[in-house]
Amino acid sequence: MKSSIVNSPHDQLAEYIRQGVIPPYQYSYPPRSTYRPLDEGAWDVHDVWAKDLANYQVPELNLYLHVPFCRYKCGFCNLYTVISTDEDLYDAYTDALCTQLRDHAEIIQARRLRTVYIGGGTPALLSTRHFEQIFTTLGEIYPNWRSTVEEVALEATPDSIVADSDGFGRLLDLGLTRANIGIQSLVPQEIREAGRGQAGEDVIRRAVEIVHDRGLPDLSTDLIMGFAGQTPETWQHSVDELAKLAPTTISTYFLTVRPDAWFSKTGAYQYMWKPELYERYDYAREVFTAHGYVQEGSVRYKKPGRGGYVQKVLTFHGVPLLGLGVGARSYTSVLDYMTGSVKPSLTEVAEYIENARAHRLQPTTGFALSPQEIVRKRLVLDTFDIDLSELDRFGLDTIAPEVAEILDAAQANGLIHRVGPRRVQLTPKGFKYRDILSWMFYSDDVKDLDREYYEGLHEANARARKNMGTPVRITGIGTARETA
């Protein structure tokens, strides 16, 4: 049954909130799904960054290094990861990553380096010598990086820390300030459902204990709402137990099932979201704030003065990000790009190593940003706290009526504060429904590319077609088809 089309942004926003729709978490814009092959030789990486530099009065930089290797694949994961524990491959990959770092020396040296994030994958699988090699290389091209960098972060799994606690301790000696440890749940059945059987509840608790004992400044953990079999009671158990473990940063994510993740094949999930998950959001917010956390973002809580995710905050504020390694994305004000495809494979990892050694890496997949899309990027990501005057030089005037109408709708629905002449900040209700508001700033081109990508993956996945049905809301909200 189809409902009547609601036209005004005010009514659209009110209806989405009433329905309790849950778009995917908006952590990048345009999303990776919109990237398409670039014309060969059309983009030179140094030209891209030179043009980006001209857009900023205070040039700064986030550095992201991608390590794609995992021991196992989580059921919900559609990130750029490959399964491998081959030490020789780790050696070759680290060499290639350091070569790519040196090839980007001028780009890094032209900016103030603010954060270093080593993500994946499970980069904690690398040995201490690999990290020493990476940090030594960074020191060669940016000697004062330890003085300027506010955050040195690493992704890890609980079992990788427990398996090599001494190695984790040595990372602290090398300057690690934050570790992101994927937990997802503290209920054994849900941990197994996530595909994390190697990291049971006892392993999680031991990993947290090790990190606390080693004195890591910022331990970041996460929980996921929406696993098959999860109930309000099991969710409350995970929230309560994690609050007792007292990490400095906690993220709570709504589960998003994609056609390129294993969950699409199990028959236990649908693309349509569950509005009742917002009640789990409310419970988590109540518990964590009662334990002294403050809300840094729509999904993240931090201990004041200790926790937080500096790189994400800076990226949302418009500080560009240089991504190195296979599958890494770079975010600029000119082009968001990768030096490979969006589909992970060991073959592409080998090609990356070969091309890095030969100094042949250039943007091959991406999305060129028009002035309008630069403005939309900030609005999608940064309504937590944004001064609209920052967007004037990028062409806010070209879409000013549309933006004003959406912001008026957000204010009328209680999602934003107006602070001073042009500053916008989210209310507590705005934090809760931030992803709905963010989606409303998407351009039609980005919506269409996003939907085209995921519908294509759905069509190519016979088990997803059988188990998931017609992909209503496979991506976000607000497209022409969104009338069901």
Side-chain angles (χ1 to χ4, degrees), residues 330-351:
S330 291
Y331 306 141
T332 78
S333 59
V334 179
L335 177 76
D336 285 5
Y337 68 89
M338 301 169 65
T339 58
S341 72
V342 299
K343 187 174 182 179
S345 69
L346 282 170
T347 298
E348 187 165 86
V349 172
E351 291 173 354

Side-chain angles (χ1 to χ4, degrees), residues 36-70:
R36 296 295 185 270
L38 303 169
D39 291 338
E40 186 173 355
W43 296 90
D44 176 81
V45 69
H46 290 279
D47 289 344
V48 169
W49 283 95
K51 291 175 181 175
D52 175 83
L53 190 60
N55 287 332
Y56 293 96
Q57 293 175 325
V58 182
E60 298 179 323
L61 184 68
N62 295 301
L63 180 61
Y64 175 82
L65 307 176
H66 191 72
V67 178
F69 308 115
C70 285

Side-chain angles (χ1 to χ4, degrees), residues 124-155:
L125 293 177
L126 299 184
S127 301
T128 303
R129 59 188 171 83
H130 295 127
F131 292 106
E132 289 174 339
Q133 183 180 350
I134 291 168
F135 290 150
T136 297
T137 303
L138 184 56
E140 291 171 0
I141 63 177
Y142 201 96
N144 256 14
W145 72 272
R146 295 181 188 276
S147 298
T148 66
V149 167
E150 300 175 35
E151 175 183 81
V152 181
L154 174 78
E155 289 182 1

